Structures are given as C-alpha cells and as structure tokens.
Amino acid sequence: MVEKKGAGRPSNRDVILDAADQLVAAEGAGHLTFDALSQTTGISKGGLLYHFKNKDCLLQAMLKRRVERYEKLREQYHHQFADDPKGELKSILLAALDTDAECSRLGSGMLAASATNPELLGPLKEHIALTLQRLERIAGSKVGKTLFYAVHGARLFEQLNLCDACVHEREDFAQYLLKLVDELTEIESIR
C-alpha cells in the first residue's frame, strides 16, 4: 500500500498519483500499468479507470501535478525573496533546480514515456512557454533564457545520470546562479 501523507485521508486520485509517481521513479514508465497500480493501491482496476480513462490521461495528470508542485515551490521561494527586486527571477530558477533523486528518476521515466507519445508533454510545454514569457518580462530574453536553460541542462544531466557532480554541487550551483542573477540583470539594465 502507498503510505498516506498529511492530515486527513487523501482522495483516491491522490493515492493513485502518488503510487504512479513511486512506480515510475522506481521502475520506469514502461512498468506503469493499471494492474500494477491496482496491486499497489488496493483500488480496483475499475476504480482506477474512474479517475483516469487510460494510461495517457494518468501520465498527463502526473505531469500537471509536477507543474503544480513546481508553482507552489516557486511561490515559497518568492516569499523568501520578497524584498529582493530580482526575487521573482531567483524563485523561478531555484524552484526549477530544487529536486530530489526520486523526482529526477520520475522525470526520466516521464521523458521515456513521452518518447512514444509526445502529446503527453502538452501540460509541460504550456508551463515552459508561460515561464519563458515571464522570464523575458523580468530579465529580458537573453539573460532569463540563458539562466533557465542552464538550470534545466543541469537537471537533464541528473535525470539521465550523466553528471554525478550536478547532484553533489547543486547547492554551489544554486548560490552561483543567484550571484549571476544579480550581476547579469544589472548589466542588462545598463544597456
């Protein structure tokens, strides 16, 4: 059974999404089946289909939930930088960089699933487009995109297990990014 988090009883939808996240992180998206979820959650296959009519709908819901979690994290960081004029930019970058190993494995699994059906990435594409618009408004096109791409490049290296240093040096990287935000946005405003 999936361990239930927080106060109160989570909805079956949340239980299903939690179990799906754990299954994809542990075994990859190829092992995400309604049979496996039914076994893990104790919810009948019919109960799963009530919430998600097929696997693609489940995968899209998982991506939407990741975007929602990112937005909550971004808001938390934004509160930390409430008095900083560059706080919005810093919060976007730090929220994108703030992840754990399970999230990286989940991202890898979702990446693999999207290879067979690129339409699954719809919620993520929409989120990225809005984020890039926000970055352009805040920091200008070149600075905002450069920093955003640097963060996501490091994250992709982690997801694909290409760079152990990315994980071990994440805190130093985050601090350097904050310094770059201050330096580059000052340069951009002078031009």
Side-chain angles (χ1 to χ4, degrees):
M1 282 291 188
V2 174
E3 186 177 313
K4 297 178 182 175
K5 301 172 185 171
R9 185 171 178 236
S11 71
N12 278 349
R13 181 179 172 84
D14 288 334
V15 169
I16 295 165
L17 288 171
D18 288 343
D21 283 348
Q22 290 173 10
L23 188 61
V24 169
E27 299 182 35
H31 295 277
L32 179 63
T33 65
F34 282 180
D35 288 333
L37 281 175
S38 181
Q39 185 176 15
T40 302
T41 63
I43 298 170
S44 70
K45 195 170 179 179
L48 298 172
L49 290 168
Y50 172 79
H51 292 285
F52 306 100
K53 67 180 182 180
N54 57 42
K55 183 177 173 178
D56 286 351
C57 289
L58 173 61
L59 289 168
Q60 280 193 317
M62 292 168 69
L63 280 172
K64 284 181 183 179
R65 189 163 84 153
R66 287 193 66 199
V67 168
E68 289 167 3
R69 287 178 173 172
Y70 163 83
E71 283 300 325
K72 286 180 185 176
L73 191 57
R74 185 195 55 75
E75 288 174 16
Q76 290 171 359
Y77 278 115
H78 198 205
H79 288 300
Q80 289 178 7
F81 295 107
D83 298 329
D84 186 336
K86 297 164 189 139
E88 189 173 2
L89 175 57
K90 291 176 181 180
S91 68
I92 290 169
L93 298 173
L94 290 178
L97 190 59
D98 192 331
T99 185
D100 57 23
E102 182 174 309
C103 186
S104 289
R105 287 191 308 273
L106 175 61
S108 296
M110 297 302 284
L111 184 64
S114 69
T116 60
N117 186 354
E119 292 175 13
L120 292 174
L121 296 177
L124 202 51
K125 284 182 177 182
E126 182 180 325
H127 167 71
I128 289 170
L130 292 172
T131 301
L132 288 173
Q133 288 173 4
R134 183 186 286 161
L135 287 169
E136 186 168 348
R137 179 182 48 78
I138 297 168
S141 179
K142 291 179 183 175
V143 170
K145 284 181 179 177
T146 300
L147 294 170
F148 187 70
Y149 295 156
V151 166
H152 284 283
R155 291 282 314 281
L156 183 60
F157 283 175
E158 287 180 31
Q159 288 173 343
L160 298 175
N161 292 317
L162 295 175
C163 179
D164 290 335
C166 294
V167 175
H168 302 300
E169 297 172 357
R170 186 181 302 141
E171 185 60 35
D172 290 339
F173 181 58
Q175 293 307 313
Y176 187 69
L177 271 176
L178 296 178
K179 182 180 173 190
L180 277 177
V181 166
D182 291 332
E183 292 173 2
L184 292 175
T185 53
E186 285 176 16
I187 292 169
E188 189 72 20
S189 66
I190 293 173
R191 290 182 187 175

